[in-house]
Amino acid sequence: LIDLTTAAASALTAVRVMENRDEHTALFVFLGPCSFIGNNFCRMCQAIAVNMVEHSSLVLLLSFVYRLHILQDTLSVRYTPPRTLIWLICALPLLLIVPLMVGNYIEQKPVTDEGRRRFH
């Protein structure tokens, strides 16, 4: 589900990043289908795509930790954590990423007319 969300958001945005050295900022030029809907939708898709990639990496890390835990317990008495604990461990990174996703969305601002003239 995470990878599907990441792929859908990435396909909608199709971003080209340009550097504005005068203002020390990065400009996101949205070339994908989201540009037909509007800038806010493009920024939301970009924020989702970036943060879901981070979340995917955390879930991958957790899966390796869990496998290591299982492999270490094969030699000794095996302890299997309850399902609710496993679900909480998997949900925790998503809950921690939500503030970053909202901050990423809020921080993105439209390009000024002067900035557009410089890059045309």
Side-chain angles (χ1 to χ4, degrees), residues 101-114:
M101 190 171 7
V102 171
N104 188 358
Y105 174 76
I106 291 171
E107 186 62 29
Q108 294 182 21
K109 298 186 176 32
V111 179
T112 62
D113 290 334
E114 162 117 14

Side-chain angles (χ1 to χ4, degrees), residues 3 5 35 49 60 70 76-77 88:
D3 291 336
T5 305
S35 58
L60 186 63
I70 296 298
S76 61
V77 177
L88 282 172

Side-chain angles (χ1 to χ4, degrees), residues 8-73:
S10 295
L12 284 172
T13 55
V15 175
R16 179 172 182 218
V17 180
M18 299 174 68
E19 184 180 358
N20 185 355
R21 292 183 181 163
D22 296 336
E23 298 176 11
H24 303 290
T25 58
L27 300 174
F28 293 95
V29 180
F30 297 107
L31 305 170
C34 73
S35 58
F36 293 117
I37 297 171
N39 287 335
N40 289 335
F41 183 70
C42 287
R43 293 194 322 233
M44 181 186 67
C45 287
Q46 176 66 17
I48 289 172
V50 167
N51 290 292
M52 283 294 143
V53 167
E54 293 171 9
H55 182 68
S56 179
S57 299
L58 286 173
V59 170
L60 186 63
L61 174 68
L62 286 173
S63 71
F64 281 116
V65 169
Y66 183 73
R67 289 177 192 154
L68 181 63
H69 171 71
I70 296 298
L71 289 174
Q72 285 179 343
D73 285 346

